[in-house]
Amino acid sequence: MKVLAIIPARGGSKGVPRKNIRKFDGKPLLAYSIAAAKESKNISKFVVNTEDEEVAEIARNFNCDVVMRNPEIAEDHSKITDTVIETLNYFERKNQYFDAVVLLQPTAPLRKGEDIDNAIRLLQSNLETDAVISMVKVEDYHPARMYKFQNGYLNSLMPDYETRNRQELPELYLRNGCIYLIRTSALKREQSLMPEKKIPLIMDAKWAVNIDTEMDVIILEQLLKKWKKQVS
């Protein structure tokens, strides 16, 4: 299976300005995704996709190829699917074709090459599956503890489980943003990274972090200290 890894790294960001090149433990954020792609034994090619020249230069400094993005799909409201398809089209125009694409978001950096390879093996061994999405088990923030506030009153999202003990709640999973692996045929057919037929790659929830706010920055800085000890 030929797999293309795409690391999307826009230059713009409102919540955490220039977050993809912001340094964490001395390295820009996107460097952690590049490192994971390099560690993978099953990725055929990996690239950073960006519209920003500074981001592109940093990626090249970490020995990563770059595909420049059309600025029209590099806005806050742009769909990441468009970026993935644009990158695939770029390579197909050069007669380079891939069976699957894996999206490695820089904002969810705590993953290893082994995690990516586990996802690829899952896809290879499940022929009826179109995608493998990394997930973590929901614990404290279970939907059974969540409510809508409507017409002046709280309404449970899961009324049948509203008063149940934690041990009685159904197992649910949350996307952690680390890995989106999808067959190219399904991506083109459904125009989505979340096709109908998908299965989970369950990852450790203690490493789940997505950099969207300055609080996330603080969390990542603390997690990185423990993460480095684990992977060293």
Side-chain angles (χ1 to χ4, degrees):
M1 175 178 280
K2 291 187 66 176
V3 180
L4 172 65
I6 300 174
I7 302 168
R10 286 196 311 125
S13 174
K14 291 183 178 178
V16 181
R18 307 290 285 170
K19 63 184 176 182
N20 286 317
I21 58 175
R22 184 161 173 171
K23 288 190 175 180
F24 292 84
D25 195 33
K27 294 193 298 185
L29 185 63
L30 67 85
Y32 291 91
S33 294
I34 293 173
K38 288 180 178 179
E39 290 170 4
S40 167
K41 294 179 174 61
N42 295 323
I43 286 176
S44 308
K45 188 176 184 61
F46 60 90
V47 297
V48 162
N49 179 295
T50 184
E51 87 297 354
D52 188 278
E53 288 293 345
E54 184 182 7
V55 173
E57 184 62 25
I58 290 172
R60 294 186 186 104
N61 289 340
F62 281 89
N63 298 314
C64 182
D65 290 337
V66 175
V67 174
M68 296 305 295
R69 189 183 311 187
N70 182 341
E72 292 182 1
I73 59 171
E75 304 294 334
D76 289 336
H77 62 273
S78 299
K79 296 180 179 179
I80 194 64
T81 307
D82 293 338
T83 294
V84 174
I85 292 175
E86 177 193 57
T87 308
L88 269 176
N89 290 340
Y90 169 85
F91 284 106
E92 289 181 358
R93 287 194 296 269
K94 300 171 69 174
N95 293 317
Q96 296 182 46
Y97 298 89
F98 298 90
D99 302 300
V101 179
V102 60
L103 185 73
L104 304 176
Q105 298 186 118
T107 49
L110 300 186
R111 72 174 86 68
K112 298 177 289 186
E114 180 183 354
D115 297 318
I116 301 169
D117 289 342
N118 287 340
I120 293 172
R121 282 191 287 268
L122 272 175
L123 190 64
Q124 288 177 314
S125 61
N126 289 272
L127 299 181
E128 300 301 317
T129 293
D130 286 327
V132 177
I133 313 298
S134 61
M135 302 269 175
V136 295
K137 186 177 177 182
V138 175
E139 297 286 357
D140 295 338
Y141 295 100
H142 198 284
R145 306 292 189 245
M146 296 181 182
Y147 296 81
K148 292 181 181 179
F149 187 54
Q150 294 177 316
N151 301 319
Y153 294 97
L154 291 170
N155 295 289
S156 174
L157 294 186
M158 299 180 68
D160 291 342
Y161 294 91
E162 183 177 15
T163 59
R164 300 281 188 93
N165 294 329
R166 178 176 58 84
Q167 295 83 354
E168 300 176 276
L169 301 180
E171 285 193 3
L172 295 177
Y173 297 90
L174 177 71
R175 302 200 310 255
N176 66 352
C178 285
I179 297 169
Y180 293 83
L181 173 67
I182 181 171
R183 297 187 195 277
T184 303
S185 56
L187 173 66
K188 292 183 175 182
R189 182 180 66 248
E190 299 193 31
Q191 297 288 299
S192 171
L193 292 169
M194 299 293 291
E196 181 179 355
K197 295 181 179 179
K198 51 189 176 289
I199 60 176
L201 172 73
I202 308 301
M203 296 179 66
D204 193 334
K206 72 181 179 182
W207 304 120
V209 60
N210 265 281
I211 307 302
D212 292 316
T213 68
E214 289 294 337
M215 180 58 71
D216 298 326
V217 169
I218 295 171
I219 293 171
L220 177 57
E221 288 173 341
Q222 295 303 310
L223 284 177
L224 266 176
K225 298 174 183 178
K226 297 181 180 180
W227 172 260
K228 286 179 63 180
K229 293 179 180 179
Q230 173 184 284
V231 299
S232 60

